[in-house]
Amino acid sequence: MIKFTLRRLLITFPQLVLLSILVFFLGSLMPGDALSGMIDPSIPAEAIQARREALGLDNPWYIQYRDWVVAMFQGDFGNSIFHQRPVLDVIGDRLLNTIWLSLFSVFIIYLIGLPLGLISGRYKDSLLDSAITGYTYLGFATPTFVFGLVLLWIFGYHFGVFPTNGSVAAGLEPGSLDYILSKINHLILPSFSIALIGLVGTVQYLRSGVIEAQQKDYVMLARAKGVKSTALYVKHIFRNAIIPIAAFFGYELVGLLGGSIFIEWVYAYPGMGALFLESISTRDFSVANVLILFYGFLTILGALLSDIILSIVDPRIRIK
Amino acid sequence: MSRKDEELNNEAHEEQTDASREEQARQNRQASAEQSTSRDSGSADPYGNRRDDRIYGSTEMSTHMKSDMPPGAGDHGGLDYKTLPKSTPGWKVIVQELIADKLALFSLIIFVSITAYVFGLTMFLDQAQIVFVDLFAINQPPDEEFRLGTDYGGRDIFGQLIIGTRNSLAIGFLVTLMSVGFGIIYGLVSGYFGGQLDNALMRVVDFFLVLPFLMIVIVFVTIVPSYDIWTFSAIMAAFLWMGTARLIRSLALQEKELDYINASKTLGSSPVKIIFSQLMPNLVGIIIVNGTLSLAANIGIESGLSFLGFGFPEDYPSLGTLLAYATQTQTLQNRWWIWLPAALMILILMLCVRNIGEALRRAGDARQRQS
């Protein structure tokens, strides 16, 4: 187990290095540098040149890269040109919102997706199963942002039951009950938009997993021994069918963190995805750059997490 | 029937009987046809490896069976494959499957009509006139003059929808062609040569897979100096080829162990010839399925990028551009005619292409055929 995790970590390291190099080069391709936001005509050119040298902007790329990485390890991610604040602070403001949105969405995905998949697999070819399969078919073909727009139109504007933008109502004391309720209220539409489309994969995997497990010998044996149907499904079939889904948990969570760009945009939800789009359109590339690095890092982490979870729930994988 | 025809027929026949044996082997291996029906239709697998077990099993069986038969066994009594019942040729299976699958047939008809209509009509429509700003006709609801009303610049929505659909389809095809094409070559090379090269190439794929796709594409779109359809498609394709590459590679790994490849190697064929004129044609079914499903995804991704404002410029509308109008509260709330048709069009296109792709996938897999 530990050996597997270590070996898996070993693969992660070069990926991280490559990612950082890519982001570094993207950063140097983007217009502007650390001084862009601070220069105004009253500053003499020599002063700018001196400052550039002090910051090491004229060094060869590998030295700049090394400085950049070292600075990041010391917690210095540069300054946002647009906000005139450290990038980390700007992102920090939005981070929590996105985490809430993702957690809420994952929760709904499993809350609805698992029962649907189980029912669909257990009562295969029934009317209910056909309805669920039809739904997954539709879900696969619907882009999240289209679905989000339609939900916003229907429930946000037409019926007016949910707030249409933002993450919390204005003028509420942070930490009070009203504040938390308002937060949840703002989360409902975005997270359902993500979850109702995102759960189709889970449903399909679980359905086929259940159908496959039904025909395994150990299930036949349990049935022959007289295990009750419900217990059979819960204790024997479900536990095996859940393996691939458990394995994708890491991808799912991280995918949502990144995939929420569309939904945050549609609902004007102040998360990191929206921040990324804003920083691109305001040419605030220092923020955009750190966000790409952050998301890439998360994806690598998600893959790592998934593999480790898989090795826990399915010991056979460790042998490799 | 001329002699040439007869020869061709015989060849096809031979191939098909082989195929039917493989089929049997497959069916024996797996007791139930049902269990994989749904398993195969899951497309959320980030590895894109899900066909491996089945293909591996079948090729293993068939090589085994073939090597059991002495050469020319068919001529000396025993198992005479020429008298075996004829199985249906490949293209016929596909046609049969599409007809048997009412949903897929329906989807195909709709998709072809939309494509034909849109491409036909845009030849007569004046694109400059459609994107012409007419301030006297701002935000008009549908009426006789403007079948689907107008947008905030007084531009005809119906015309934009037609052009947008054409542009979205065209870019979808272009990106699919690029990404699948590159993925095929990459996968074939990696799978055919195997060993250290394969190992290295697959680590590259792994790296591309962990990149945050949407963000990287958006950044590239913003910083690329000369920005047009070709660069846009190339940028998208540059980060979308990995799934195809992995799939083709895993199939090529198995396929290259078969006798016909070894025979060709022994005869001294160059790797290029083996890969492209012998290996690739045998994977063409899967390539078509993969391409169709990618097309559906790419249409969605392109409209998503245009929706965020990182796709086409406004005077070159795509379906996503029309949807982007809906980010204005007024438009979303009160002017459904601007964005809802485009939303429905995306839905219909993606659904149709996916249905066709799924039907083709079933056609390529004997256990899942409906006819």
Side-chain angles (χ1 to χ4, degrees):
Chain A
M1 180 66 220
I2 291 166
K3 209 173 148 196
F4 171 83
T5 312
L6 279 178
R7 203 179 303 163
R8 187 61 189 71
L9 272 170
L10 224 63
I11 307 174
T12 310
F13 188 68
Q15 284 185 335
L16 278 175
V17 174
L18 267 175
L19 175 77
S20 68
I21 292 179
L22 181 85
V23 170
F24 177 76
F25 273 103
L26 273 181
S28 56
L29 281 174
M30 291 169 184
D33 56 31
L35 292 176
S36 305
M38 303 167 189
I39 296 174
D40 66 62
S42 64
I43 304 171
E46 297 83 50
I48 296 173
Q49 193 51 41
R51 197 88 189 97
R52 284 184 68 86
E53 267 163 31
L55 283 172
L57 290 176
D58 297 328
N59 288 340
W61 70 268
Y62 48 88
I63 297 192
Q64 285 199 43
Y65 172 72
R66 193 199 60 198
D67 293 345
W68 180 69
V69 172
V70 168
M72 278 196 303
F73 273 108
Q74 292 164 348
D76 174 17
F77 285 79
N79 281 301
S80 157
I81 298 161
F82 182 74
H83 296 273
Q84 296 288 350
R85 285 166 61 202
V87 172
L88 225 49
D89 289 1
V90 177
I91 293 178
D93 292 347
R94 307 292 195 91
L95 181 66
L96 217 58
N97 281 335
T98 295
I99 289 180
W100 276 121
L101 181 62
S102 307
L103 285 181
F104 219 69
S105 307
V106 169
F107 178 69
I108 299 170
I109 284 179
Y110 289 131
L111 189 73
I112 303 178
L114 294 184
L116 281 189
L118 259 181
I119 292 169
S120 171
R122 179 169 179 181
Y123 304 105
K124 185 164 67 78
D125 294 334
S126 69
L127 203 65
L128 205 58
D129 173 44
S130 308
I132 294 173
T133 313
Y135 166 60
T136 57
Y137 238 76
L138 264 176
F140 264 124
T142 316
T144 319
F145 69 98
V146 173
F147 187 64
L149 273 179
V150 172
L151 275 195
L152 177 64
W153 180 49
I154 296 175
F155 293 103
Y157 289 109
H158 193 71
F159 292 116
V161 276
F162 292 108
T164 55
N165 61 33
S167 70
V168 70
L172 290 173
E173 183 80 21
S176 67
L177 186 66
D178 280 349
Y179 184 83
I180 293 166
L181 283 179
S182 166
K183 275 232 151 183
I184 292 174
N185 200 21
H186 279 81
L187 270 176
I188 291 175
L189 266 190
S191 51
F192 267 92
S193 308
I194 294 173
L196 289 182
I197 295 295
L199 61 79
V200 292
T202 307
V203 172
Q204 270 202 345
Y205 266 102
L206 193 56
R207 177 181 186 270
S208 49
V210 168
I211 292 170
E212 203 169 324
Q214 274 170 351
Q215 284 145 347
K216 292 272 166 68
D217 289 343
Y218 73 91
V219 174
M220 301 281 191
L221 177 71
R223 218 184 267 284
K225 271 164 62 186
V227 177
K228 282 218 179 69
S229 203
T230 317
L232 184 76
Y233 272 92
V234 173
K235 277 195 180 153
H236 298 273
I237 293 178
F238 184 66
R239 280 175 74 169
N240 265 285
I242 200 86
I243 287 177
I245 292 163
F248 287 140
F249 178 75
Y251 284 109
E252 188 97 48
L253 192 66
V254 170
L256 280 180
L257 279 171
S260 50
I261 291 184
F262 284 117
I263 289 302
E264 288 182 7
W265 190 243
V266 167
Y267 288 95
Y269 185 85
M272 287 195 300
L275 176 68
F276 176 76
L277 292 174
E278 285 161 24
S279 59
I280 288 282
S281 51
T282 52
R283 296 285 185 255
D284 193 1
F285 289 115
S286 47
V287 176
N289 225 359
V290 176
L291 280 172
I292 295 178
L293 190 68
F294 184 66
Y295 275 105
F297 179 71
L298 277 180
T299 319
I300 293 174
L301 213 68
L304 180 71
L305 189 68
S306 273
D307 280 358
I308 291 175
I309 293 176
L310 191 64
S311 77
I312 293 170
V313 292
D314 191 353
R316 283 167 296 185
I317 204 91
R318 273 182 244 158
I319 297 164
K320 278 212 281 188
Chain B
M1 198 192 271
S2 72
R3 239 195 70 200
K4 209 176 165 195
D5 278 356
E6 220 169 83
E7 258 176 42
L8 275 174
N9 218 19
N10 270 345
E11 261 177 47
H13 186 177
E14 228 168 289
E15 252 180 57
Q16 285 308 320
T17 41
D18 268 358
S20 66
R21 267 183 232 126
E22 280 179 30
E23 239 163 68
Q24 253 182 342
R26 251 185 233 164
Q27 264 156 353
N28 291 344
R29 260 189 104 242
Q30 234 147 4
S32 153
E34 300 291 346
Q35 71 188 51
S36 58
T37 312
S38 43
R39 178 144 151 245
D40 282 341
S41 49
S43 55
D45 181 2
Y47 294 113
N49 277 339
R50 72 195 103 78
R51 299 176 78 89
D52 290 9
D53 51 347
R54 194 184 66 231
I55 303 260
Y56 188 73
S58 70
T59 48
E60 199 179 45
M61 278 311 238
S62 61
T63 40
H64 174 70
M65 288 174 86
K66 266 185 237 155
S67 58
D68 271 353
M69 260 196 325
D75 303 327
H76 302 285
L79 187 64
D80 186 356
Y81 62 83
K82 280 188 180 136
T83 58
L84 283 174
K86 257 191 179 180
S87 65
T88 0
W91 61 270
K92 229 176 177 173
V93 171
I94 292 178
V95 174
Q96 273 176 4
E97 188 61 28
L98 277 178
I99 292 172
D101 191 334
K102 291 286 180 294
L103 191 65
L105 183 67
F106 185 63
S107 305
L108 185 68
I109 293 171
I110 291 187
F111 181 70
V112 170
S113 354
I114 289 180
T115 313
Y117 181 71
V118 160
F119 278 85
L121 203 60
T122 43
M123 282 199 255
F124 302 107
L125 280 178
D126 183 2
Q127 186 158 344
Q129 205 225 313
I130 285 165
V131 295
F132 177 73
V133 176
D134 179 3
L135 294 179
F136 293 105
I138 289 175
N139 292 325
Q140 277 184 6
D143 56 22
E144 282 86 36
E145 193 193 346
F146 301 109
R147 259 177 283 180
L148 278 171
T150 57
D151 67 9
Y152 72 94
R155 289 172 286 205
D156 179 25
I157 294 290
F158 180 75
Q160 287 195 62
L161 184 70
I162 297 297
I163 292 180
T165 310
R166 185 202 61 178
N167 291 346
S168 284
L169 278 174
I171 210 83
F173 277 115
L174 197 59
V175 172
T176 308
L177 225 60
M178 284 179 175
S179 66
V180 172
F182 183 73
I184 290 169
I185 296 172
Y186 195 96
L188 282 174
V189 168
S190 183
Y192 177 75
F193 291 108
Q196 283 301 311
L197 180 74
D198 177 46
N199 208 355
L201 287 178
M202 280 305 113
R203 293 293 79 75
V204 175
V205 169
D206 285 347
F207 174 65
F208 268 86
L209 280 172
V210 298
L211 292 178
F213 167 78
L214 208 55
M215 291 180 153
I216 297 262
V217 169
I218 287 175
V219 169
F220 268 106
V221 163
T222 343
I223 60 178
V224 77
S226 70
Y227 180 56
D228 55 27
I229 308 179
W230 296 97
T231 43
F232 177 55
S233 313
I235 291 170
M236 266 179 79
F239 298 97
L240 284 170
W241 54 273
M242 297 84 74
T244 311
R246 276 187 108 140
L247 177 71
I248 297 296
R249 175 245 176 198
S250 65
L251 295 176
L253 268 182
Q254 267 116 58
E255 195 77 10
K256 72 164 182 185
E257 302 295 333
L258 296 189
D259 286 347
Y260 74 92
I261 299 285
N262 284 329
S264 190
K265 263 189 210 161
T266 318
L267 287 169
S269 309
S270 72
V272 176
K273 189 180 173 190
I274 296 178
I275 289 176
F276 291 105
S277 67
Q278 291 160 358
L279 224 168
M280 196 164 82
N282 279 293
L283 301 176
V284 87
I286 282 145
I287 290 172
I288 291 173
V289 172
N290 183 268
T292 318
L293 293 176
S294 310
L295 176 65
N298 292 343
I299 292 174
I301 294 171
E302 181 277 319
S303 49
L305 280 166
S306 296
F307 169 72
L308 294 177
F310 299 99
F312 291 106
E314 217 173 74
D315 56 351
Y316 198 79
S318 97
L319 288 175
T321 320
L322 281 173
L323 275 169
Y325 291 139
T327 42
Q328 293 155 338
T329 309
Q330 274 296 317
T331 306
L332 182 63
Q333 196 171 4
N334 301 324
R335 300 182 201 119
W336 58 267
W337 62 86
I338 293 179
W339 62 274
L340 199 59
L344 288 176
M345 186 59 98
I346 292 178
L347 209 66
I348 292 170
L349 285 181
M350 284 181 70
L351 208 55
C352 285
V353 180
R354 268 197 69 87
N355 283 342
I356 298 166
E358 293 289 341
L360 290 176
R361 189 210 292 280
R362 283 193 293 273
D365 182 357
R367 279 173 299 131
Q368 296 187 24
R369 276 177 206 156
Q370 301 194 338
S371 55

